[in-house]
Amino acid sequence: MSRLSGTALVAPLVLVLAGVFVGPLLVMLPTSFHPYVPGQGIGTAWTLENYIEPFADSYYRDVILRTLWMGFIVTAIALLIGYPLAYFMARTTRTWRAVATLLVMFPLFLNLVVRSFGWIALLSNRGVINTWLMDLGVIEKPLRMMFDMTGLVIGMVHIYLPFMVFMLLSSISRVPRDVEDAAATLSASPSRVFFFVTLPLTAPGILAGCTLVFVLTISALVTPRLLGGPTYKVMSTLIYDEFLVKLDWPSGTAFAFILTAIALLVIWGANRVARRVTGGAW
């Protein structure tokens, strides 16, 4: 396929993405450089204060760092749980693979709000887990598992684990079994075959899954809103409040662009690492 034909094939998609996503962003960009005037709305002057304040104010810095920490923890746990599961799905029989695929996909069939309320029923002070532990005498008072990082991480891992599993499954399935068999015939133990053959060959899938889960986690709104409550904020809930509660559109727009810049930086960094790991084949 020539370069001209390839460009013609992707041109409609590029135009749709530019019109639906990039266009509105460019329209909103000037808003972030205007001040917010209480009682009047968006001012007419130009300022960089909306971009300086998130890094100068300790409250906003904490929100940004909390968002990044949440993304890191959720991604790490999803990888630790998802890799063995994806490995099992890739190497088991067709029947068990179909069963495991259905179990992993099933949460995706449920509405995000329903899944979040399900975790509220489990994690709240009077929820199933605390009630069960107190009835057994394991604890005397309810454990705090909501409105902090614990509940957020549990809920987000459950929601985004399928994305990690399917990214890893695709990568693990492409690893040639002959390569692993060749390492085994050279007296390599199963653990050495895994760590020195299988794991490096699946590095692109690991990076892709981690990037996808991290970006989805830091930009999620519904689950942090429900499990974090109105006071435990991350960047997405902060942006929501700036727009719809405080009506401070300039600050909300600036926070949205900062979050977008973080996501793009993570994707760019992961792409650079993947190219270095695979020698440019990814």
Side-chain angles (χ1 to χ4, degrees):
M1 180 183 296
S2 65
R3 176 174 294 183
L4 183 60
S5 300
T7 303
L9 287 174
V10 300
L13 177 61
V14 172
L15 291 175
V16 170
L17 292 175
V20 175
F21 296 106
V22 180
L25 287 176
L26 294 178
V27 171
M28 291 293 292
L29 183 59
T31 304
S32 65
F33 292 101
H34 290 298
Y36 171 69
V37 181
Q40 299 181 18
I42 303 173
T44 56
W46 294 89
T47 178
L48 291 175
E49 186 64 24
N50 296 324
Y51 287 96
I52 296 175
E53 187 178 18
F55 300 100
D57 191 302
S58 60
Y59 171 75
Y60 293 124
R61 280 203 309 271
D62 289 343
V63 172
I64 295 174
L65 293 176
R66 183 183 302 142
T67 305
L68 298 178
W69 178 244
M70 180 182 69
F72 174 78
I73 293 295
V74 171
T75 303
I77 296 176
L79 177 61
L80 290 176
I81 299 174
Y83 198 99
L85 180 56
Y87 189 87
F88 168 78
M89 293 169 64
R91 299 303 164 84
T92 189
T93 62
R94 289 187 177 181
T95 303
W96 280 110
R97 179 171 180 170
V99 172
T101 302
L102 182 62
L103 291 175
V104 173
M105 288 183 62
F106 181 74
L108 299 177
F109 299 151
L110 298 176
N111 183 275
L112 192 60
V113 177
V114 175
R115 281 184 282 169
S116 298
F117 272 111
W119 281 111
I120 292 176
L122 290 173
L123 301 177
S124 63
N125 288 345
R126 296 182 181 275
V128 174
I129 295 177
N130 274 318
T131 302
W132 181 65
L133 291 176
M134 286 191 291
D135 289 343
L136 292 177
V138 178
I139 57 175
E140 295 182 354
K141 59 181 182 180
L143 297 175
R144 181 181 174 85
M145 294 184 287
M146 282 191 57
F147 308 132
D148 59 7
M149 187 61 75
T150 303
L152 283 181
V153 169
I154 293 174
M156 303 292 271
V157 168
H158 168 251
I159 290 171
Y160 294 119
L161 180 61
F163 296 94
M164 177 69 81
V165 170
F166 288 124
M167 295 297 288
L168 292 172
L169 176 61
S170 174
S171 183
I172 295 173
S173 299
R174 289 199 298 268
V175 175
R177 299 297 298 271
D178 295 342
V179 177
E180 295 176 330
D181 294 340
T185 57
L186 295 175
S187 303
S189 63
S191 61
R192 289 182 64 85
V193 172
F194 174 76
F195 285 107
F196 291 96
V197 177
T198 307
L199 195 60
L201 291 177
T202 56
I206 294 173
L207 285 169
C210 290
T211 303
L212 180 63
V213 171
F214 185 87
V215 171
L216 290 175
T217 299
I218 64 174
S219 59
L221 173 63
V222 175
T223 303
R225 191 65 171 179
L226 294 177
L227 297 181
T231 57
Y232 196 78
K233 294 185 185 300
V234 293
M235 290 190 73
S236 57
T237 56
L238 181 67
I239 293 169
Y240 177 89
D241 289 343
E242 292 290 330
F243 271 105
L244 299 181
V245 177
K246 297 171 63 177
L247 303 180
D248 187 351
W249 282 41
S251 294
T253 307
F255 277 115
F257 276 105
I258 292 172
L259 182 59
T260 303
I262 292 173
L264 292 176
L265 185 63
V266 170
I267 294 172
W268 175 80
N271 190 50
R272 296 276 296 180
V273 172
R275 285 182 178 276
R276 180 165 296 183
V277 170
T278 62
W282 195 54

